[in-house]
Amino acid sequence: MLLGGRVKETKGAPVDVRPRLVLVHSAPTRTIDQIAASIQIAPRSPLQRFTKRLVDVLGSSIGLLLLSPLLPLIVLIVKLTSRGPAIFVQERCGLGGRRFRFYKFRTMVEDAEERKAALAHLNEMSGPVFKIRSDPRVTWVGKLLRKTSLDELPQLWNVLKGEMSLVGPRPPVVDEVQRYDARQAQRLSVTPGITGLWQVSGRSSLPTFDVWLELDLQYARKWSMWLDAKILAKTIVVVALAKGAQ
């Protein structure tokens, strides 16, 4: 990732400068280094950055410790009920478009990625996002994991590593980012999270990608530790009631 000014590649920590990337409008798809025009990371004080990272480290560490008896059980159930690895690993884009390995429990059939192109005509979401409400690739165990959000638990490891935060926009896949316009690329101005404003505002039931995007940009503009605390509290309620889950 080539950023302007004095920016160095980090493990996802925000910096005190305003990096800019170059957007090539003429290309239908772009490299990650070309995706955004004027991605701006809002200035954060050292104390704000330290506090958010501290909360992430403590939260993910405690979560992994408390869930340690449950995680192997989910692995076993996924392995016994469908072919393929229990953990789904995918390349996603984080802060400033930096790529990282994203983890979740596998909820789809083993060849789900190969089937994606054949299902493109069923996409129900506008913009550079692929969503099907009743995706035929999802296994019956996967439906239960998604309904309860248990499939997202491995991302606590991404948070502990600094690639993600507990709260932030969801990390997009690479091919989606390559189709971003300048406004959509602003989603990459903050560290991605396990939960965020769109998860507590309807999750998968949100009508369009533009609504989803606006919530992510609102979070990027108004971020504070108090906002993170409110989102985390609302997430507990949303997950408990399975609101908007697919």
Side-chain angles (χ1 to χ4, degrees):
M1 177 64 63
L2 297 178
L3 300 177
R6 298 175 288 102
V7 181
K8 296 181 180 179
E9 184 170 301
T10 67
K11 293 295 183 180
V15 290
D16 279 327
V17 296
R18 294 179 178 268
R20 300 178 67 87
L21 305 182
V22 177
L23 175 66
V24 181
H25 291 280
S26 60
T29 60
R30 296 173 287 276
T31 65
I32 298 301
D33 286 344
Q34 297 171 326
I35 52 169
S38 67
I39 288 183
Q40 297 201 356
I41 301 174
R44 310 287 189 223
S45 71
L47 180 59
Q48 286 178 314
R49 297 200 304 269
F50 173 80
T51 303
K52 184 171 176 64
R53 181 60 187 148
L54 179 62
V55 170
D56 284 342
V57 171
L58 291 177
S60 58
S61 299
I62 293 172
L64 288 169
L65 181 62
L66 294 178
L67 295 167
S68 57
L70 178 62
L71 299 179
L73 178 61
I74 297 177
V75 168
L76 181 61
I77 292 173
V78 173
K79 289 289 292 182
L80 291 177
T81 55
S82 61
R83 295 178 55 185
I87 302 295
F88 174 70
V89 183
Q90 187 179 46
E91 192 171 54
R92 296 283 184 108
C93 293
L95 179 66
R98 202 185 86 251
R99 301 186 189 191
F100 67 95
R101 289 168 62 85
F102 168 91
Y103 305 104
K104 66 184 302 183
F105 286 120
R106 181 174 56 81
T107 60
M108 292 186 174
V109 294
E110 186 179 18
D111 61 344
E113 288 299 297
E114 288 74 16
R115 295 190 192 183
K116 183 177 179 180
L119 298 171
H121 65 288
L122 298 176
N123 187 17
E124 299 172 357
M125 184 68 76
S126 63
V129 177
F130 183 79
K131 286 283 184 182
I132 303 176
R133 193 173 302 276
S134 298
D135 198 316
R137 301 171 297 167
V138 179
T139 66
W140 68 270
V141 169
K143 291 179 181 178
L144 293 175
L145 292 176
R146 289 185 173 203
K147 191 75 173 177
T148 57
S149 297
L150 291 174
D151 60 317
E152 311 289 0
L153 293 181
Q155 289 154 49
L156 289 171
W157 179 242
N158 288 121
V159 175
L160 188 61
K161 292 169 63 181
E163 297 159 337
M164 292 179 62
S165 176
L166 293 175
V167 182
R170 291 295 288 165
V173 297
V174 174
D175 66 328
E176 290 175 4
V177 171
Q178 290 172 334
R179 299 195 299 275
Y180 276 3
D181 60 28
R183 183 168 182 268
Q184 293 165 348
Q186 299 301 313
R187 296 183 71 236
L188 306 174
S189 66
V190 292
T191 303
I194 296 179
T195 186
L197 271 180
W198 77 266
Q199 282 90 344
V200 299
S201 304
R203 298 171 75 184
S204 298
S205 65
L206 290 179
T208 65
F209 174 70
D210 287 338
V211 175
W212 179 355
L213 173 65
E214 183 53 41
L215 289 170
D216 285 342
L217 296 183
Q218 181 180 330
Y219 174 81
R221 292 190 298 265
K222 298 183 177 181
W223 175 83
S224 69
M225 290 306 302
W226 174 238
L227 178 58
D228 277 7
K230 289 195 293 185
I231 290 173
L232 287 171
K234 288 182 179 180
T235 298
I236 295 173
V237 176
V238 167
V239 171
L241 299 178
K243 289 185 176 180
Q246 284 190 17

